[in-house]
Amino acid sequence: MQRSAFLLSLAGMPTFLRAVPDPPVVLLVGGLDGDATSTRIVQRESSSPPRGLRVLTIPRVNASNAPLVFPPVGLAYKDNAESHALWRAIGLQAPDLVLIAGTQDFGLAAALANNSVAGMGRIPARLDAAKAGLIKGLPRSIPKSEARLELERRLARTPRQAAEELAPWYGHEFKEAVYISAVALLAQLRLGRSAEVERFVEPYLDGTKRSLAKPTGSHLAGHLLFGELAKRTRDARCVELVCRAADLGFLPDGTPRESMPLHDEMSDAVFMGCPIAAQAGRLTGNPKYFDMALRHLRFIQKLCLRPDGLYRHSPLTDAAWGRGNAFPALGLALALSDLPKTHPAFDPMLLAFQQHISALVPYQTADGLWRQVIDNSASYSEFSATAMTATAMLRGIRNGWLDRAAYQACVDKAWHAVNARIAADGRLIDVCEGTGKQASLDAYLRRVAIFGRDPRGGAMALLFATELDAPAC
């Protein structure tokens, strides 16, 4: 899918992250009506902003003069892509005033003033003729908009406070032992909600429910919750469930399979298979599980690791899907946490982790996120891949696997971006929908960007926030 020049221009647009004492923020928008005159005026006006104002610009919105609708309708970014992208970009910039230069705004000014923009709040706006002096006469005492007040509230949160706001919405069921629920419940354990988590897990421990009744790769990673409880409680039943999952990598006589099963040839499988094998090794002391973690990694790398160090999602296409890279990053960080440094699997897995993280860093956008397709600047900045990748980096820094001086700034930028995109009611901005392997780059570019509550995005945000809040590991 071809993306407009406007969408490309938004890809690196930084979220407004300045502190409360900043001056009023004015956003100039040009080209909404397809007229290049307003674009030139916006660019000229922003070159010498008045003192006492901070001026942001989106100079060229609608070069193709496509019909726009505000507030946007349809699925982002499949339908009305320009409308959705502009709406969310303005909300995340959270200006105090929006000035739209031109003769036609498709109802944008009224929509901004009367609706919560991307869940941030209302923003005063007006349509003005595209002429010199557009901002010259603006007052210096523009009140803060609802959107700016909300963004400042979000960015003032500590990771613990953000986690506490997410916690009522995510991590309150374990109907199946799958990774999304397990990750959210791991975070709830970190928040001290062990009694509730143990209640959800008990049916699997007493045999009422079978954790591997219809196993998938997601179920393998879902067993990480049992492993965490085993470390905390020493419950042998939890250890047994972890081993049942890890033992799927072996024939009945104990011979190791080519890899952990249920991988579907996807890079996700580094997360689904490596950590549970390493966890079984740590809990039992049996080195065969550590061997399997490395064996599985190498199997998936042969299928999915590209020469440039990024992972294709599957052999169907070279597309470096966002979560398709976040899964290997987080999966290796978790596996390394359980691998003994003295085991032969540790060094090659550590090197794989370091090389992958190094390959990801150049693709972090100016606003602190990684994209839906990592190396495609026309794809949107994506929430869940960012939370997962930054969690992996943070764990790497704290364990000495990554150099703090080289990577801490990446984690900090990612946290600012993720924190800005979490509402108090658990709504999130731009989480990619569930995605199996796709046959083309275009199919990845067309994945829906969810605005609202999303179990996967919420779980990964909780994991990131509680990882930041936890003592150095």
Side-chain angles (χ1 to χ4, degrees), residues 167-238:
W169 309 102
Y170 303 105
H172 297 285
E173 60 86 16
F174 204 44
K175 295 176 183 177
E176 283 194 75
V178 292
Y179 87 87
I180 295 174
S181 301
V183 167
L185 290 169
L186 283 169
Q188 291 283 10
L189 280 175
R190 291 174 173 179
L191 293 173
R193 281 72 183 264
S194 56
E196 183 180 18
V197 175
E198 289 172 12
R199 186 172 74 252
F200 293 137
V201 165
E202 185 59 31
Y204 298 99
L205 302 184
D206 67 17
T208 304
K209 297 181 74 172
R210 294 172 57 202
S211 62
L212 293 169
K214 295 181 179 179
T216 65
S218 181
H219 287 83
L220 296 181
H223 282 61
L224 293 171
L225 178 60
F226 300 124
E228 180 60 28
L229 285 171
K231 295 173 190 175
R232 290 168 176 254
T233 66
R234 308 297 179 186
D235 190 328
R237 298 174 300 170
C238 291

Side-chain angles (χ1 to χ4, degrees), residues 4 23 35 58 61 96 116 121 125 140 179 204 233 243 291 297 300 322 325 380 396 403 405-406 412 444 454:
S4 70
D35 184 359
I58 304 178
V61 172
D96 300 308
S116 180
R140 304 300 183 264
Y179 87 87
Y204 298 99
T233 66
C243 291
D291 296 337
L297 172 65
I300 298 300
N325 278 268
Y380 61 87
D403 178 45
D412 295 341
Y444 288 100
D454 175 74

Side-chain angles (χ1 to χ4, degrees), residues 290-460:
F290 301 134
D291 296 337
M292 175 52 70
L294 177 60
R295 186 182 184 91
H296 181 67
L297 172 65
R298 286 175 168 163
F299 176 84
I300 298 300
Q301 285 184 323
K302 286 178 182 178
L303 293 172
C304 299
L305 186 62
R306 301 187 336 189
D308 64 357
L310 298 179
Y311 284 79
R312 62 179 67 86
H313 189 210
S314 84
L316 292 181
T317 173
D318 253 3
W321 180 48
R323 275 203 306 271
N325 278 268
F327 275 124
L330 184 57
L332 283 176
L334 295 177
L336 287 166
S337 299
D338 282 327
L339 270 166
K341 291 183 179 180
T342 55
H343 190 276
F346 184 86
D347 285 346
M349 292 184 75
L350 175 60
L351 181 61
F353 173 71
Q354 291 169 330
Q355 291 175 335
H356 183 217
I357 294 296
S358 177
L360 284 168
V361 167
Y363 295 103
Q364 189 178 26
T365 64
D367 59 356
L369 294 101
W370 279 269
R371 296 184 179 92
Q372 159 67 357
V373 178
I374 296 290
D375 56 347
N376 188 304
S377 60
S379 66
Y380 61 87
S381 296
E382 202 275 332
F383 181 94
S384 62
T386 299
M388 296 164 70
T389 301
T391 301
M393 281 188 180
L394 179 61
R395 185 161 290 208
I397 291 166
R398 287 180 167 177
N399 281 282
W401 309 328
L402 299 175
D403 178 45
R404 183 178 297 275
Y407 294 101
Q408 186 64 50
C410 298
V411 175
D412 295 341
K413 284 173 61 178
W415 173 244
H416 276 294
V418 166
N419 198 14
R421 288 159 173 77
I422 300 170
D425 64 359
R427 286 178 297 159
L428 313 170
I429 299 177
D430 285 352
V431 181
C432 175
E433 66 181 319
T435 301
K437 58 184 180 182
Q438 307 293 305
S440 67
L441 169 63
D442 185 67
Y444 288 100
L445 293 174
R446 290 180 178 274
R447 302 306 293 171
V448 171
I450 296 167
F451 171 73
R453 296 189 193 108
D454 175 74
R456 183 182 290 100
M460 294 307 176

Side-chain angles (χ1 to χ4, degrees), residues 62-76:
N62 195 16
S64 62
N65 202 21
L68 305 176
V69 56
F70 301 102
V73 295
L75 297 172

Side-chain angles (χ1 to χ4, degrees), residues 13 86 166 267 404:
M13 190 173 183
L86 179 60
L166 285 163
S267 60
R404 183 178 297 275

